[in-house]
């Protein structure tokens, strides 16, 4: 660790780097002149937690001093496919996980806006107060992008805080070819964006960006007299540490700032476009290939390619409980064999009613088409005779 990061005088260069970089990120989100606030946090789960805290403070500031008893029963909304950190934030911040309402998705894993509106109305009829909606920009499993503009319309209609969890997909803002998948993100009140995911910045590097200036500090500042004295000889607005829930913070900005200086926005764009091109190559290769079945139809929105591999023994088997039960065991078995032979490793998981399937994710631009070819050969070598 180079230095702690609570005040400007302790880490002046890193404070300025953070301010400049966050402003540039807010510009890329589409907020006028990059105005707003933000900070780097230990990861997307904490960035998402900040968004819930800030939303609560914006609508019910008295909770900061008096606690949750000063607020009505508040509810949060997020996709059934969203990252578990939204539910975890609900539990940790005293909303209760039962007050995190899950939204239905279409077959591609995107939130259905009509379901959000129906559940807002239902919550109000039950005497709850809807507060916050999380739209996911690149979901963990399917890589799905929720329709932000349609969700933003509903949030404006009912006066709700809109957060976009772009931890996984936020990097697409760097790509002129793919940023349309995040259309409407400029209407969000807050955004999570993890450069340590798609953009390949070493862990940890996650940003929480807030459109309205001052609300982050209002939510979290405690004005400790031994750190944040108001009568210092410099502009104390550079003492950004009081906006965070931590005191000492790791310097997460330096590596990102250096990478951005070295690669440039164009370099990040090429990196992201290449990863998406590779995932499309994988999709095109297996979508009609014997022994493969896609989990959902159509080109994936992100680099997540979700598929089942069917060994020869399952290919003629009729649909039914026995086939499902056998197919459920295929991906874990192939992954175990991959690890034992030390050649490659691909994640798998079930999702809802769907049995275990492979989820191949490309985030390393050093990967090549021959790596994808090798992966397919390896799956077939290990799985053909199961």
């Amino acid at each position: 660790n180079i230095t702690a990061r609570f005040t400007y005088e302790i880490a002046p260069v890193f404070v300025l780097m953070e301010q400049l970089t966050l402003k540039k990120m807010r510009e890329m989100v589409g907020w006028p002149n990059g105005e707003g606030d933000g900070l780097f946090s230990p990861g997307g789960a904490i960035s998402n937690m900040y968004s819930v805290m800030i939303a609560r403070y914006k609508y019910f500031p008295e909770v900061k001093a008096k606690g949750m008893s000063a607020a009505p029963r508040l509810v949060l909304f997020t996709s059934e496919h969203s990252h578990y950190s939204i539910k975890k934030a609900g539990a940790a911040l005293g909303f209760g996980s039962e007050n995190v309402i899950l939204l239905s998705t279409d077959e591609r894993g995107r939130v259905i806006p009509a379901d959000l509106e129906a559940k807002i109305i239902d919550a109000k009829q039950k005497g709850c107060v809807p507060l916050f909606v999380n739209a996911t920009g690149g979901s963990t499993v399917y890589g799905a992008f929720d329709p932000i503009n349609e969700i933003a319309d509903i949030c404006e209609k009912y006066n709700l805080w809109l957060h976009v969890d772009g931890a996984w997909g936020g990097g697409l803002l760097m790509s002129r070819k793919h940023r349309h998948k995040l259309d409407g993100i400029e209407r969000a009140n807050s955004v999570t964006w993890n450069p340590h995911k798609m953009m390949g910045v070493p862990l940890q590097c996650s940003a929480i960006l807030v459109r309205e200036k001052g609300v982050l500090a209002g939510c979290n500042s405690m004005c400790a007299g031994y750190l944040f004295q108001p009568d210092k000889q410099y502009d104390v607005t550079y003492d950004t540490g009081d906006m965070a829930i931590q005191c000492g913070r790791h310097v997460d900005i330096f590596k990102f700032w250096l990478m951005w200086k070295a690669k440039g926005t164009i370099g990040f764009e090429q990196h992201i476009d290449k990863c998406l091109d590779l995932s499309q190559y994988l999709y095109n290769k297996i979508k009609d290939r014997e022994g493969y079945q896609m989990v959902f139809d159509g080109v994936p929105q992100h680099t997540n390619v979700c598929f089942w591999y069917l060994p020869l023994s399952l290919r003629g088997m009729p649909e039914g409980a026995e086939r499902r039960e056998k197919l459920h065991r295929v991906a874990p078995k192939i992954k175990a064999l991959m690890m034992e032979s030390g050649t490659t490793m691909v994640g798998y998981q079930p999702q809802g009613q769907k049995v275990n399937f492979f989820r191949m994710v490309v985030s390393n631009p050093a990967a090549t088409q021959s790596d994808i070819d090798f992966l397919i050969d390896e799956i077939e070598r290990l799985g053909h005779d199961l």
Side-chain angles (χ1 to χ4, degrees):
N1 196 4
I2 308 164
T3 179
R5 281 260 302 93
F6 19 82
T7 62
Y8 174 75
E9 60 204 324
I10 296 293
V13 174
F14 297 132
V15 166
L16 295 176
M17 278 182 181
E18 190 175 61
Q19 293 305 298
L20 280 167
T21 309
L22 288 166
K23 185 177 191 329
K24 181 68 179 168
M25 292 171 86
R26 291 190 298 263
E27 282 173 12
M28 297 191 88
V29 166
W31 294 334
N33 306 315
E35 283 300 308
D37 267 327
L39 48 84
F40 285 89
S41 88
I46 303 297
S47 293
N48 286 342
M49 189 167 94
Y50 272 114
S51 73
V52 179
M53 290 168 67
I54 300 161
R56 180 175 65 185
Y57 178 76
K58 173 68 178 169
Y59 288 93
F60 297 95
E62 60 277 15
V63 169
K64 180 177 176 181
K66 294 187 166 55
M68 283 296 267
S69 60
R73 185 176 167 190
L74 303 173
V75 290
L76 319 173
F77 300 88
T78 192
S79 166
E80 61 184 351
H81 279 233
S82 70
H83 193 266
Y84 70 87
S85 55
I86 302 294
K87 204 170 194 175
K88 186 172 269 196
L93 296 173
F95 293 85
S97 58
E98 286 181 8
N99 293 313
V100 180
I101 295 171
L102 299 182
L103 304 171
S104 301
T105 56
D106 64 17
E107 68 289 343
R108 298 286 308 258
R110 299 170 297 205
V111 159
I112 300 165
D115 187 62
L116 168 62
E117 184 156 27
K119 282 174 177 165
I120 289 170
I121 292 165
D122 182 57
K124 288 180 136 185
Q125 284 171 346
K126 288 176 177 163
C128 300
V129 176
L131 174 75
F132 169 101
V133 178
N134 173 58
T136 303
S139 63
T140 311
V141 179
Y142 284 11
F145 289 80
D146 289 338
I148 302 173
N149 269 316
E150 291 166 71
I151 293 170
D153 290 342
I154 295 166
C155 288
E156 284 173 15
K157 180 175 174 181
Y158 293 97
N159 190 28
L160 305 186
W161 184 279
L162 173 60
H163 175 66
V164 173
D165 175 9
W168 174 222
L172 271 61
L173 291 169
M174 295 272 185
S175 165
R176 285 165 290 193
K177 182 177 173 186
H178 295 287
R179 67 167 288 139
H180 67 90
K181 294 167 187 176
L182 288 154
D183 279 354
I185 193 170
E186 71 285 349
R187 298 173 66 187
N189 300 97
S190 55
V191 172
T192 293
W193 176 356
N194 285 14
H196 73 215
K197 284 201 167 76
M198 191 63 197
M199 291 161 66
V201 176
L203 274 161
Q204 58 192 28
C205 190
S206 170
I208 172 69
L209 308 171
V210 188
R211 187 169 65 184
E212 183 184 332
K213 197 160 181 62
V215 70
L216 182 58
C219 178
N220 293 324
S221 63
M222 289 292 156
C223 306
Y226 48 85
L227 274 180
F228 305 108
Q229 304 90 343
D231 50 2
K232 294 179 183 178
Q233 84 274 29
Y234 59 84
D235 179 355
V236 293
T237 58
Y238 287 106
D239 283 355
T240 52
D242 212 11
M243 293 197 294
I245 51 176
Q246 299 163 268
C247 178
R249 283 193 297 144
H250 190 261
V251 176
D252 296 328
I253 184 56
F254 191 41
K255 58 206 167 190
F256 181 32
W257 185 87
L258 276 177
M259 274 182 81
W260 206 338
K261 281 287 185 192
K263 288 171 78 110
T265 306
I266 300 294
F268 276 125
E269 177 179 50
Q270 289 166 344
H271 165 142
I272 284 153
D273 288 352
K274 184 179 178 195
C275 290
L276 278 132
D277 287 348
L278 273 177
S279 61
Q280 178 138 13
Y281 173 77
L282 170 61
Y283 168 75
N284 289 339
K285 189 176 169 88
I286 63 174
K287 70 175 194 284
D288 300 317
R289 189 181 180 98
E290 192 182 356
Y292 291 84
Q293 185 183 338
M294 303 311 297
V295 172
F296 54 84
D297 294 329
V299 179
Q301 287 189 286
H302 204 346
T303 71
N304 310 44
V305 183
C306 299
F307 61 92
W308 288 283
Y309 175 71
L310 287 81
L312 213 51
S313 63
L314 289 183
R315 289 181 201 174
M317 192 180 281
E319 288 286 343
E322 188 192 357
R323 183 181 182 275
R324 279 176 58 83
E325 198 260 327
K326 286 187 168 176
L327 184 56
H328 190 58
R329 300 205 305 260
V330 170
K333 182 62 182 168
I334 293 176
K335 185 187 175 193
L337 292 168
M338 284 174 171
M339 291 174 74
E340 283 163 24
S341 55
T343 50
T344 182
M345 188 162 69
V346 183
Y348 69 84
Q349 68 280 298
Q351 175 78 49
Q353 298 300 304
K354 294 179 165 69
V355 299
N356 281 325
F357 54 86
F358 283 115
R359 170 179 54 125
M360 176 61 189
V361 177
V362 182
S363 60
N364 179 3
T368 62
Q369 290 188 356
S370 62
D371 292 320
I372 302 291
D373 296 339
F374 173 77
L375 170 72
I376 295 306
D377 292 343
E378 199 61 5
I379 288 173
E380 291 172 0
R381 179 178 76 83
L382 297 168
H384 188 266
D385 297 326
L386 288 180

